[in-house]
Amino acid sequence: DHDRARAREVEDALQRMQAGTYGICEDTGEEIPFARLWAEPTARLTVDAQELREREAREAAELRLAY
């Protein structure tokens, strides 16, 4: 359910704050820009890293459909 998933995202963000890793991209180690965190406080990835993950997922799905 959406509410539970969102609550889990908030809990995870709070854990990252406690660990000192909040605002750091999990894929690249780069700082997530403030504007992104303002818009999406639970963001785990930079926009570029998120787009790369989404593109790779689409390509993998397309390959599965092709075979």
Side-chain angles (χ1 to χ4, degrees):
D1 146 83
H2 177 72
D3 291 338
R4 280 192 212 119
R6 189 68 179 156
R8 180 66 188 170
E9 290 175 0
V10 170
E11 290 172 12
D12 289 347
L14 291 171
Q15 288 177 353
R16 290 192 305 278
M17 285 178 189
Q18 291 174 342
T21 59
Y22 179 78
I24 305 298
C25 179
E26 293 180 354
D27 284 359
T28 66
E30 296 174 356
E31 191 171 315
I32 299 171
F34 177 78
R36 174 147 170 84
L37 293 171
W38 182 261
E40 182 53 61
T42 60
R44 304 174 87 111
L45 305 168
T46 61
V47 169
D48 288 343
Q50 181 70 42
E51 288 175 349
L52 178 60
R53 276 193 184 189
E54 291 171 1
R55 185 170 45 251
E56 289 173 345
R58 274 192 312 274
E59 290 171 357
E62 289 171 2
L63 282 175
R64 282 191 301 274
L65 291 174
Y67 292 101

